[in-house]
Amino acid sequence: MKHVEHELTKIKEAIDKAKDMRYRAEAKLEELENQQKRLLNELEELGVKPENLEEEIKRLEEEIERGLAETKAMIPRELMGKNE
C-alpha cells in the first residue's frame, strides 16, 4: 500500500508541475502576443508594413552607408589616419 501512495504522490507532483509549466507558458505566450502587438503598432506608426520590413531595413542600411561615405569624404584624408 505504501508503494501505491508513493506512486500517487509522484503522479500528483508531476501533474502539479505540468500545471505550473502550462501556467508559465500561457503567461509567456500572452507576453509575447502583447509584444507583437506593440511592435506591429510601432511599424504602423512608422509607415512600414511587416511584409516590407526586410526591404526597409536594407534601405535604411544603404542610407546609413551613403551618409557615412559622404561624411568621410568631407574629412581631410590626413585626419582619417593611414588605414582609411
Side-chain angles (χ1 to χ4, degrees):
M1 193 65 173
K2 272 287 202 203
H3 175 68
V4 172
E5 289 175 8
H6 180 69
E7 288 298 312
L8 287 174
T9 300
K10 285 173 57 176
I11 291 170
K12 182 183 179 310
E13 288 173 357
I15 290 171
D16 289 344
K17 186 175 181 179
K19 285 180 182 178
D20 183 55
M21 290 173 66
R22 178 180 177 190
Y23 171 75
R24 289 176 190 227
E26 287 173 345
K28 184 66 173 177
L29 177 61
E30 185 177 344
E31 177 186 331
L32 291 171
E33 287 173 340
N34 288 334
Q35 184 179 7
Q36 180 184 30
K37 287 177 187 175
R38 285 192 308 271
L39 291 172
L40 290 173
N41 286 337
E42 285 182 39
L43 285 175
E44 186 177 335
E45 288 174 12
L46 294 170
V48 178
K49 294 181 180 180
E51 59 270 14
N52 299 337
L53 189 56
E54 300 238 357
E55 293 171 16
E56 182 66 12
I57 290 171
K58 185 176 179 181
R59 184 189 71 75
L60 290 171
E61 286 174 342
E62 290 171 355
E63 188 177 315
I64 289 168
E65 288 296 324
R66 278 192 306 274
L68 285 173
E70 289 173 9
T71 302
K72 189 176 172 182
M74 290 187 248
I75 298 172
R77 287 185 181 215
E78 58 272 7
L79 296 178
M80 291 296 294
K82 295 180 182 181
N83 294 333
E84 300 298 322

